[in-house]
């Protein structure tokens, strides 16, 4: 199957090479199109991606002025090939677990009606020497199911139906996307398999708590309005924030 992986990158020079390597190690699982939108970075992110793309034709670099993550995600959507069957996403500072796509794509080939596959996320601080996996020996990691586009895999037809990311969202654009997807009532598979390694560091945008709170309140308000108009409910377990293993990592 042909899989497009969308990556928005802003000042991600310390991490983007690892992120791309974690995807390229899975190039036998699908015909990959990795679309990196360099959102006006000033730290050499574009140079790193350009060097990798020169050796890996799967990687396509798009350079834009800085417009924010929602606009960058939409620009990546614009570059998806028409014959693409599946779409996933990965942030430029995160990692894709080895074998993830081979394992998860099979669910779509086995079930022609499946629209969306969603797993858990391993949140970590320290990386192993191979630069592709979390170093779990430190105890600074936790497996959970949270809001993470990197843990998703969807049919392109579903992504097209959901539509573009709301560019007025500085944060929570992923949650807004999920809630709008629910309204289409696709067949969703929720699993406990780890589908994304989320790197926790001092520059995570989600650490801006006041900004996060403001946009998440807006997402919830919009969802409540849809519910009052007969909108679709949240699938069971989709936003189950319980940790799957509890460790002293914060």
């Amino acid at each position: 199957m042909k899989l497009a992986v969308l990556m928005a990158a802003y000042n991600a020079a310390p991490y983007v090479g690892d992120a791309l390597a974690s995807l390229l190690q899975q190039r036998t699982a699908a015909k990959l199109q990795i679309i990196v939108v360099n959102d006006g970075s000033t730290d050499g992110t574009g140079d790193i991606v350009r060097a990798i793309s020169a050796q890996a034709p799967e990687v396509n670099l798009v350079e834009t002025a800085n417009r924010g993550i929602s606009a960058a995600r939409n620009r990546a959507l614009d570059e998806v090939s028409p014959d693409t069957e599946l779409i996933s996403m990965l942030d430029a500072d995160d990692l894709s677990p080895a074998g993830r796509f081979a394992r998860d794509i099979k669910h779509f080939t086995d079930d022609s009606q499946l629209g969306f596959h969603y797993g858990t996320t391993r949140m970590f601080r320290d990386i192993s020497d191979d630069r592709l996996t979390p170093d779990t020996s430190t105890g600074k990691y936790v497996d959970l199911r949270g809001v993470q586009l990197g843990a998703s895999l969807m049919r392109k037809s579903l992504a097209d139906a959901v539509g573009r990311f709301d560019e007025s969202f500085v944060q929570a654009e992923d949650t807004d996307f999920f809630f709008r997807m629910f309204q289409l009532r696709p067949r969703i598979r929720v699993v406990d398999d780890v589908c994304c390694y989320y790197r926790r560091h001092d520059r995570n945008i989600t650490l801006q708590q006041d900004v996060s709170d403001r946009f998440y309140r807006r997402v919830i308000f919009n969802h409540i309005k849809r519910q009052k108009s007969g909108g679709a409910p949240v699938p069971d377990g989709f936003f189950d924030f319980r940790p799957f293993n509890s460790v002293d990592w914060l």
Side-chain angles (χ1 to χ4, degrees):
M1 301 183 81
K2 187 164 186 177
L3 166 64
V5 183
L6 316 184
M7 182 181 294
Y10 175 69
N11 285 350
Y15 314 114
V16 68
D18 297 341
L20 290 174
S22 76
L23 293 172
L24 290 170
Q25 70 176 339
Q26 302 179 73
R27 64 200 339 161
T28 61
K31 185 176 180 181
L32 284 179
Q33 180 190 19
I34 304 170
I35 304 166
V36 184
V37 175
N38 181 25
D39 186 35
S41 298
T42 58
D43 69 344
T45 294
D47 293 334
I48 293 170
V49 177
R50 194 173 297 106
I52 293 172
S53 66
Q55 303 298 321
E58 297 91 344
V59 178
N60 309 123
L61 174 64
V62 179
E63 301 269 13
T64 69
N66 179 244
R67 296 179 55 209
I69 192 166
S70 295
R73 294 198 197 281
N74 285 335
R75 185 68 180 83
L77 284 170
D78 292 339
E79 295 296 318
V80 175
S81 298
D83 59 342
T84 294
E85 297 162 274
L86 297 174
I87 287 178
S88 188
M89 302 185 196
L90 186 70
D91 288 342
D93 52 357
D94 294 340
L95 300 167
S96 183
R100 178 265 166 113
F101 291 132
R103 179 194 65 206
D104 296 344
I105 287 173
K106 188 176 185 299
H107 295 298
F108 289 87
T109 57
D110 291 346
D111 182 356
S112 63
Q113 299 304 307
L114 181 64
F116 195 90
H117 181 280
Y118 196 60
T120 64
T121 296
R122 176 161 294 174
M123 189 180 295
F124 73 98
R125 286 194 183 276
D126 300 320
I127 195 165
S128 297
D129 291 340
D130 65 6
R131 304 292 303 175
L132 299 178
T133 56
D135 180 0
T136 57
S137 67
T138 64
K140 296 179 180 179
Y141 78 99
V142 62
D143 293 347
L144 52 82
R145 185 163 13 256
V147 179
Q148 176 54 256
L149 284 167
S152 70
L153 187 62
M154 71 193 85
R155 292 196 188 272
K156 180 179 182 294
S157 57
L158 176 61
D160 290 342
V162 176
R164 299 171 73 78
F165 288 89
D166 187 335
E167 295 185 11
S168 68
F169 279 90
V170 175
Q171 291 189 40
E173 81 294 337
D174 44 8
T175 311
D176 175 69
F177 181 91
F178 286 151
F179 277 131
R180 288 189 287 120
M181 178 192 66
F182 298 152
Q183 305 313 305
L184 302 177
R185 301 178 187 269
R187 181 176 294 180
I188 294 175
R189 182 183 180 94
V190 179
V191 300
D192 288 348
D193 298 321
V194 176
C195 294
C196 181
Y197 297 146
Y198 175 85
R199 190 194 306 255
R200 195 70 164 168
H201 55 81
D202 293 340
R203 293 193 295 170
N204 288 136
I205 189 172
T206 51
L207 294 179
Q208 301 173 21
Q209 195 61 51
D210 57 333
V211 179
S212 294
D213 290 347
R214 183 168 73 253
F215 284 100
Y216 278 112
R217 283 196 298 268
R218 182 175 156 198
V219 168
I220 297 301
F221 178 72
N222 289 342
H223 177 64
I224 291 172
K225 288 198 299 183
R226 295 188 193 103
Q227 291 301 100
K228 288 182 177 179
S229 301
V234 175
D236 290 341
F238 196 94
F239 289 141
D240 184 355
F241 285 91
R242 67 182 173 87
F244 286 77
N245 59 303
S246 184
V247 292
D248 181 17
W249 81 292
L250 294 175

